Amino acid sequence: MIRVNQLGILAKTLVIVCTLVVVLSLTFLALSFWLVTTKFQGLETEEARLNMERVINELNNSCNRLETLAGDWAPWDDSYTFVQDLNRDFIEKNLGEESFKTLGINFMLFVDDSNQLVYSRFFDLAREAFTPPDTSIIFALRAIPDFFRFATPQTKNSGFLRSHSSPVLVAGAPIVTSTYSGPIRGTLVVGRYLDHSKLEEIGAQTRLSVEALPLPPENRQPLLQTNSQRSSLDQRSFAIASQVLDHQTLRVYTALNDLRDQPMGIVAVNLERKLFQQGLAMWKEHALSLVGLGLMFIFALVLLLDRIILRRLTRLNEEVASIAQAGRHDLRVSRDNQDEIGTLAEGINAMLASLQSLQMIQEKSEHHLQDIIDSVNCGIMLVDAQTREIVSINRAGAKMAGRSPEDILGQVCHRFICPRERNCCPVLDRGETVDLSEREMLHADGHTVPVLKSVSRIERDGRPLLVESFIDITALKAMESELAASEAKYRQFFEEDLTGNFISTREGTLIACNPAFAEIFGYASPADLIGGRMEHFYSSPETRKLLMERLSEKGRLDRFEGMMRQKNGQPVYIVSNLIGEFDDQGHLLRIRGYLFDDTKRMILEKEIRQAQKLEAIGTMAGGIAHDFNNILAGIMGYTEILLRDLNEEQDSKNRRNLRNILSAGERARGLIEKMLTFSRQTEGERRPVNLERILGDVLQLIRVSLPSTIEISSRITDSPTVMADPIQIHQVFMNLCTNAGHAMKAKGGTLTISLDRVELDADFTGRYPALTIGTYAEIRIEDSGKGIPEHLIERIFDPFFTTKGKGEGTGLGLSMVHGIVKAMHGLITVDSTEGKGSCFTIYLPTINEEESMTAVEHQSIPTGHEHVVYVDDEGFLVDIGSEILRGLGYRVTGFTDSQEALDYLLRHVSEVDLVISDMTMPQLTGIELAQSLHHLDGPPPVVICTGHNEGLSQQDVAHIGVRELLLKPVTVHKLAQVVRSVLDEKASS
């Protein structure tokens, strides 16, 4: 073993520094390991708790859904009757397999008001078959009498229950009438097993692996006391516990309490310890970094000591040894400082100077030969073949090396100026022959100089020498490098250009192309195209032939626009420059082309033209609907007056005919509403609407109307909420589903309806400027029918355009759908292939609010005795409105001139209780009339009737005294309710 005192100065310094750095590094690594693992274990526990809370939240949501289901079925007149007489018709209609599969429940129990089970039905969702009753559930419910007690008819109970197979989610609600009146006749209980399928459903919602475990009594307390925390979600408390199984797995538990608040089972989730592993990985990276820093510190410290002291001593030692070995007294050791080492070097040089004078005489004979060699403009160097040292070099050779001859003499050749052969001499060690060979020479500043070199052998004074001659070829190499760089620059520009570049022959063979060109035509790389024929990309051979003729005539074609074909046959619109290369006789040899894919712009222009066309048609439809509403208001108004005045017994035939007129008017009004919806001049009442619920209603209706040859498939992965009129949304879905069913009517097929929530990015909204970046509900209605011909796709949203036969539709369906979707700031697209089916996709902006359900109560026709002024430029509408209001008991003054009406109101403002005015009239409009009255003291309230609302809402005109906006034609019931509501509001204020 080598002792420390036997080592050199540099080795001793290295040992001391390394020992100190290693001790400090190990201490710091141990401390950091403890801190990092402790911190990440805490984060891991918190993440586990949050994941379990997600599972708990899904359990609570399941209970809430059961409560909602029980709350929907229990307050139902049919349920109220069934619990008393157990009629078979109720069971066949409502308790079939389809109901259990649709509702997603395993059982339904009907208990009478004496808590006796009168009927039960159990269903296996996995096997889709009814099963015998589970007596353990019935006995467990009977053991909890409080479950069947309800404080109010709206009260509901829910929770977990223990059964012989698995835990059960149950919910109960009192059985009352649909108006929540009458005594409670019993309790409706619905339930769902917390079985494997339900756990998989919860796992899919939370993206976790969830399992249910029994809870042994002996393990209950230790389990829930291990890192346990409480979580309260939806008024239910759960104890959460976590346990480390190994370095890779962490198990999280929570105990399920039954309705008596007793533990009944465990829900567990196994989680990967990603945070803990990440912490270990970070610590390892930190440790590696620390080791690297330690090595850098050792290197820097040793390097500093070496440069200041050790290297100087080593160099002085080497220089003295080199001088002694060479036996030359003209050499000197270097002196770079005035310290002790410099003084030592000065003493050595003084000793060498004394010896040099003795050699002067011997060297004079060699100067003449050296002068001759120095005059040659080629580097010449003599090398001792035994010692490998440079014994002579001329000025040209020293200049190439960037040194003085004195600095070069005595150096080992292959270690000093030959960078690629520092470990050996190619001539002496490997026996190479160097004759005008390209080699490299090391310059003093560190760079290499390319040389053309030759080496030969000679002898002088019995000593073998190598004569090396070399010429600097730096300029030649620079020219070669510039040529290669220029070629590489051109190649890089060609390969990385976003424009599709190509070169082809006159006959159409592709010689070269860049990746952009391959991408435009649907190929993976240029290699798939080289050597192919350009004819495949043109729509027809005649098109390319005409293009070649024009190119031959003009020499080049700038900004040529046209349509070409991709690899799969899809069209691609391009803008290109084509340049011809000709021979001396003017014959076209090659074509250089630069293509730009302009498909997106062409599609966008096409969509903008379609939108402008629909906008113009919509404006026309709105104007027609406005005038037709006034005419329809007269027809329906006079009809209602005649019905009121006819004797019911004597004029039954006339009354029937008049009712037919009203029925036809109602259908006409529905047609007008569709036209106004298309023209976006009426939007209905908007409120938060849950699309999943609307689609559920549509699926129930459409199943009845479609033949059995059409299969219905639904994929609802989310439950988004949008701001919309629920009736209009229902119309949109029903219309699209009905059209899809009509397309598959002859041969059958599959109707697929999907609902999802998507994030639209800038790339998508860039193609559809009407949309903004954000969260949207995506509804896809897809059929496998006959599809839409390509030449008809652009017209399907036009009003009154239809491909159906006579009596099968008016052609307003898709135009109405387009108007509703566009008014909601959404988008509808269609993708159809003739013979393979169609897919309509709707994008609607979502909101964060939840849908609120309001009950509508029936009201009778109210009457009154107040004074009403009725204004309309159509005389028959004034007559109708006045007659209706007088029939309700009001005093009415009618005007067909709005200016005369204003003059009358200014004189009798205190005598008038209400003003009803048309929106659009000569002289003064309804808005201008309301503004004129609003400046008076104590002005009467104003109700405005209009053929369309022109984008106005009641809130927009409330500040000038307008209390209601009515859309014509107005029925007797609607007019009576609005008049009475406005007058009562005035009286209360």
Side-chain angles (χ1 to χ4, degrees):
M1 182 177 295
I2 301 175
R3 297 181 181 179
V4 177
N5 57 6
Q6 295 177 339
L7 300 175
I9 296 177
L10 181 60
K12 291 179 180 178
T13 304
L14 185 61
V15 169
I16 295 172
V17 172
C18 288
T19 302
L20 181 60
V21 171
V22 168
V23 172
L24 292 175
S25 298
L26 290 177
T27 303
F28 186 80
L29 286 175
L31 179 61
S32 64
F33 178 82
W34 178 79
L35 290 174
V36 168
T37 54
T38 302
K39 180 64 176 178
F40 276 85
Q41 282 176 350
L43 294 175
E44 180 183 61
T45 303
E46 179 63 18
E47 182 191 40
R49 184 186 67 80
L50 292 175
N51 282 321
M52 180 52 71
E53 283 189 355
R54 290 167 55 199
V55 175
I56 293 171
N57 191 43
E58 285 301 319
L59 290 173
N60 284 330
N61 289 341
S62 298
C63 287
N64 294 337
R65 285 193 287 271
L66 288 178
E67 283 186 5
T68 302
L69 177 60
D72 290 340
W73 279 65
W76 186 19
D77 294 338
D78 290 352
S79 301
Y80 194 83
T81 303
F82 174 73
V83 79
Q84 300 177 71
D85 56 18
L86 300 179
N87 59 88
R88 198 68 191 172
D89 185 63
F90 179 87
I91 297 174
E92 294 176 355
K93 287 184 178 180
N94 302 293
L95 301 181
E97 293 182 359
E98 195 64 25
S99 296
F100 280 81
K101 290 189 288 184
T102 302
L103 299 176
I105 58 176
N106 290 107
F107 61 86
M108 189 177 290
L109 310 178
F110 291 84
V111 180
D112 61 15
D113 53 358
S114 61
N115 295 343
Q116 296 298 316
L117 178 67
V118 298
Y119 185 79
S120 66
R121 193 155 232 187
F122 286 75
F123 185 78
D124 191 336
L125 291 172
R127 295 187 292 110
E128 297 186 355
F130 290 106
T131 61
D134 189 346
T135 57
S136 64
I137 294 177
I138 300 173
F139 288 140
L141 284 172
R142 287 177 176 172
I144 310 173
D146 290 340
F147 184 81
F148 302 97
R149 297 171 185 167
F150 304 96
T152 65
Q154 288 83 7
T155 305
K156 296 181 282 292
N157 295 328
S158 65
F160 298 92
L161 199 67
R162 190 197 307 262
S163 73
H164 69 279
S165 59
S166 65
V168 184
L169 301 173
V170 297
I175 299 177
V176 294
T177 65
S178 59
T179 60
Y180 294 94
S181 61
I184 297 175
R185 289 300 184 187
T187 304
L188 173 64
V189 182
V190 296
R192 174 68 188 265
Y193 288 108
L194 195 60
D195 53 11
H196 181 68
S197 64
K198 182 62 179 177
L199 292 174
E200 284 187 343
E201 178 183 337
I202 295 174
Q205 293 289 335
T206 60
R207 294 184 175 86
L208 299 170
S209 176
V210 185
E211 58 180 335
L213 303 172
L215 181 66
E218 63 275 13
N219 294 336
R220 181 181 308 159
Q221 295 303 325
L223 171 66
L224 297 182
Q225 291 175 358
T226 305
N227 297 328
S228 63
Q229 301 181 40
R230 301 294 295 181
S231 174
S232 179
L233 298 172
D234 196 24
Q235 290 80 44
R236 299 181 178 89
S237 294
F238 294 81
I240 298 175
S242 60
Q243 184 179 9
V244 176
L245 299 182
D246 52 36
H247 285 293
Q248 302 295 331
T249 308
L250 177 70
R251 171 165 288 185
V252 191
Y253 306 86
T254 186
L256 301 178
N257 292 347
D258 60 16
L259 289 166
R260 293 177 296 181
D261 205 27
Q262 296 296 321
M264 57 174 287
I266 293 174
V267 172
V269 176
N270 291 336
L271 302 173
E272 295 182 8
R273 302 189 66 191
K274 294 182 178 179
L275 278 175
F276 181 77
Q277 296 299 329
Q278 183 179 2
L280 286 179
M282 289 178 60
W283 177 84
K284 291 177 181 178
E285 293 177 359
H286 171 73
L288 291 175
S289 300
L290 185 61
V291 171
L293 288 175
L295 293 175
M296 290 176 62
F297 175 78
I298 293 172
F299 177 79
L301 184 59
V302 173
L303 181 62
L304 185 63
L305 292 174
D306 179 62
R307 290 182 65 87
I308 296 175
I309 300 175
L310 303 178
R311 183 180 296 181
R312 295 172 62 200
L313 291 175
T314 303
R315 185 179 60 200
L316 181 61
N317 181 58
E318 290 177 350
E319 289 177 351
V320 172
S322 177
I323 293 172
Q325 184 178 3
R328 294 178 54 188
H329 301 148
D330 59 328
L331 301 179
R332 300 291 185 269
V333 296
S334 59
R335 181 186 178 189
D336 54 0
N337 212 324
Q338 297 295 330
D339 55 9
E340 291 80 0
I341 299 177
T343 303
L344 177 60
E346 185 178 358
I348 295 173
N349 286 335
M351 180 183 65
L352 291 173
S354 300
L355 297 174
Q356 182 181 6
S357 59
L358 299 177
Q359 295 180 339
M360 294 290 290
I361 299 173
Q362 299 176 357
E363 294 176 352
K364 287 181 180 181
S365 59
E366 299 179 359
H367 286 171
H368 182 66
L369 178 60
Q370 187 65 41
D371 291 340
I372 297 174
I373 296 176
D374 288 339
S375 64
V376 179
N377 194 24
C378 171
I380 299 175
M381 182 173 63
L382 297 178
V383 179
D384 191 323
Q386 295 178 347
T387 63
R388 317 291 178 90
E389 294 178 357
I390 301 172
V391 297
S392 178
I393 188 169
N394 65 347
R395 291 191 182 94
K399 184 178 180 181
M400 290 183 196
R403 305 172 186 271
S404 64
E406 291 77 12
D407 294 334
I408 298 176
L409 298 178
Q411 299 291 339
V412 177
C413 177
H414 64 269
R415 296 178 183 175
F416 189 65
I417 61 173
C418 299
R420 291 193 300 179
E421 291 86 20
R422 289 181 179 177
N423 295 324
C424 65
C425 178
V427 176
L428 298 176
D429 296 331
R430 294 201 294 265
E432 294 184 7
T433 299
V434 180
D435 185 14
L436 294 178
S437 303
E438 288 192 18
R439 302 289 170 136
E440 289 181 342
M441 182 176 182
L442 187 63
H443 195 270
D445 60 7
H447 79 276
T448 57
V449 178
V451 295
L452 193 63
K453 189 175 184 180
S454 296
V455 179
S456 60
R457 297 172 182 263
I458 64 171
E459 284 190 9
R460 189 180 66 179
D461 299 332
R463 296 173 59 188
L465 298 176
L466 297 180
V467 180
E468 299 185 4
S469 59
F470 38 88
I471 302 172
D472 188 353
I473 58 172
T474 302
L476 178 61
K477 299 297 289 185
M479 291 177 59
E480 292 179 354
S481 178
E482 289 176 1
L483 182 61
S486 176
E487 182 179 354
K489 184 177 180 180
Y490 167 76
R491 174 56 59 183
Q492 181 181 11
F493 177 80
F494 183 78
E495 294 291 336
E496 297 179 359
D497 191 4
L498 294 177
T499 304
N501 303 332
F502 75 93
I503 302 175
S504 72
T505 65
R506 170 69 176 84
E507 293 74 20
T509 302
L510 192 64
I511 300 174
C513 69
N514 65 346
F517 181 86
E519 183 180 358
I520 289 175
F521 291 99
Y523 288 86
S525 67
D528 300 333
L529 287 166
I530 303 301
R533 303 289 294 176
M534 293 289 291
E535 287 88 345
H536 302 312
F537 304 139
Y538 291 89
S539 56
S540 66
E542 291 76 15
T543 302
R544 183 180 182 278
K545 180 179 180 182
L546 179 61
L547 192 63
M548 291 298 102
E549 291 177 356
R550 293 176 58 189
L551 184 61
S552 299
E553 178 183 350
K554 296 184 177 181
R556 62 181 294 154
L557 298 176
D558 292 333
R559 297 196 59 81
F560 170 76
E561 296 186 14
M563 186 193 76
M564 302 186 78
R565 296 289 180 181
Q566 291 184 331
K567 177 183 179 181
N568 56 8
Q570 292 293 325
V572 56
Y573 298 92
I574 58 97
V575 177
S576 64
N577 285 357
L578 299 179
I579 302 171
E581 296 181 4
F582 301 86
D583 59 13
D584 296 338
Q585 288 75 35
H587 298 141
L588 181 63
L589 297 178
R590 287 182 296 275
I591 300 101
R592 287 186 287 114
Y594 308 93
L595 309 182
F596 177 75
D597 187 353
D598 202 32
T599 305
K600 289 185 178 179
R601 181 183 67 85
M602 296 294 294
I603 294 175
L604 184 59
E605 287 182 356
K606 188 176 180 182
E607 292 176 351
I608 291 174
R609 288 194 296 271
Q610 177 70 5
Q612 290 173 343
K613 181 177 69 174
L614 292 178
E615 187 73 22
I617 297 175
T619 302
M620 180 189 70
I624 295 173
H626 173 264
D627 294 337
F628 191 45
N629 262 332
N630 283 333
I631 300 172
L632 188 60
I635 295 173
M636 297 181 68
Y638 281 124
T639 303
E640 288 188 319
I641 292 173
L642 288 173
L643 274 173
R644 185 191 65 189
D645 295 341
L646 285 178
N647 185 292
E648 186 172 356
E649 296 180 357
Q650 298 178 357
D651 300 313
S652 59
K653 181 178 180 181
N654 291 333
R655 292 179 65 85
R656 183 170 62 253
N657 292 336
L658 291 173
R659 287 195 184 96
N660 290 335
I661 294 174
L662 279 179
S663 177
E666 289 292 342
R667 290 196 297 271
R669 181 166 64 178
L671 182 61
I672 294 172
E673 288 179 356
K674 290 182 179 181
M675 293 173 65
L676 290 175
T677 299
F678 163 73
S679 64
R680 295 176 282 110
Q681 301 203 29
T682 177
E683 297 183 357
E685 180 183 356
R686 292 190 178 185
R687 60 182 176 84
V689 175
N690 184 275
L691 294 181
E692 182 181 9
R693 184 182 64 79
I694 297 293
L695 278 177
D697 296 341
V698 170
L699 286 173
Q700 290 183 357
L701 292 175
I702 205 67
R703 279 194 176 97
V704 178
S705 62
L706 294 181
S708 59
T709 57
I710 298 177
E711 179 184 354
I712 299 178
S713 174
S714 63
R715 294 195 296 268
I716 299 177
T717 61
D718 209 326
S719 182
T721 301
V722 300
M723 184 65 72
D725 182 353
I727 296 176
Q728 291 182 344
I729 289 294
H730 194 276
Q731 290 176 343
V732 168
F733 294 160
M734 283 296 296
N735 188 286
L736 294 177
C737 290
T738 302
N739 286 349
H742 188 273
M744 299 182 289
K745 185 177 180 180
K747 298 182 179 180
T750 301
L751 171 61
T752 304
I753 302 174
S754 63
L755 173 62
D756 199 359
R757 193 190 306 264
V758 297
E759 293 289 338
L760 300 186
D761 55 17
D763 182 60
F764 188 90
T765 56
R767 290 184 280 118
Y768 301 101
L771 303 184
T772 58
I773 298 174
T775 304
Y776 282 73
E778 182 188 65
I779 307 98
R780 295 171 60 88
I781 299 178
E782 185 175 0
D783 66 74
S784 58
K786 56 187 178 182
I788 305 173
E790 184 176 353
H791 68 280
L792 296 180
I793 287 183
E794 293 186 1
R795 301 186 58 196
I796 60 174
F797 293 113
D798 292 354
F800 304 107
F801 175 78
T802 178
T803 58
K804 299 177 182 178
K806 184 177 180 181
E808 294 183 343
T810 63
L812 279 175
L814 287 179
S815 64
M816 179 196 68
V817 168
H818 183 274
I820 292 173
V821 172
K822 192 168 185 179
M824 293 175 62
H825 308 290
L827 172 71
I828 179 170
T829 64
V830 59
D831 183 14
S832 180
T833 302
E834 191 169 1
K836 295 184 179 179
S838 304
C839 177
F840 286 83
T841 304
I842 299 175
Y843 298 93
L844 298 177
T846 63
I847 60 174
N848 294 326
E849 300 180 36
E850 295 294 332
E851 179 178 11
S852 59
M853 307 298 293
T854 57
V856 179
E857 298 181 0
H858 177 72
Q859 296 181 355
S860 60
I861 300 178
T863 61
H865 59 276
E866 289 85 352
H867 185 196
V868 181
V869 172
Y870 200 101
V871 187
D872 198 302
D873 60 326
E874 297 285 353
F876 66 89
L877 293 181
V878 175
D879 294 339
I880 293 170
S882 301
E883 184 68 24
I884 292 174
L885 292 174
R886 289 192 185 101
L888 297 174
Y890 297 98
R891 291 182 292 115
V892 184
T893 303
F895 293 94
T896 58
D897 190 309
S898 57
Q899 186 60 52
E900 292 181 5
L902 177 61
D903 296 339
Y904 175 83
L905 290 168
L906 293 177
R907 296 193 305 271
H908 304 87
V909 65
S910 61
E911 304 172 7
V912 178
D913 298 297
L914 176 66
V915 177
I916 300 176
S917 173
D918 186 24
M919 171 72 82
T920 306
M921 297 180 295
Q923 298 184 4
L924 293 176
T925 66
I927 298 298
E928 293 171 341
L929 179 62
Q931 289 175 334
S932 300
L933 296 176
H934 185 62
H935 298 296
L936 302 177
D937 294 333
V942 179
V943 174
I944 291 182
C945 301
T946 178
H948 59 82
N949 62 12
E950 299 177 343
L952 289 177
S953 65
Q954 195 274 328
Q955 290 78 7
D956 296 331
V957 293
H959 66 284
I960 58 174
V962 178
R963 296 293 179 263
E964 287 288 344
L965 285 175
L966 294 179
L967 187 65
K968 296 179 182 180
V970 184
T971 63
V972 174
H973 292 74
K974 183 64 175 179
L975 182 61
Q977 291 174 356
V978 170
V979 170
R980 188 69 265 158
S981 173
V982 174
L983 290 174
D984 290 344
E985 180 183 353
K986 175 187 176 185
S988 63
S989 61

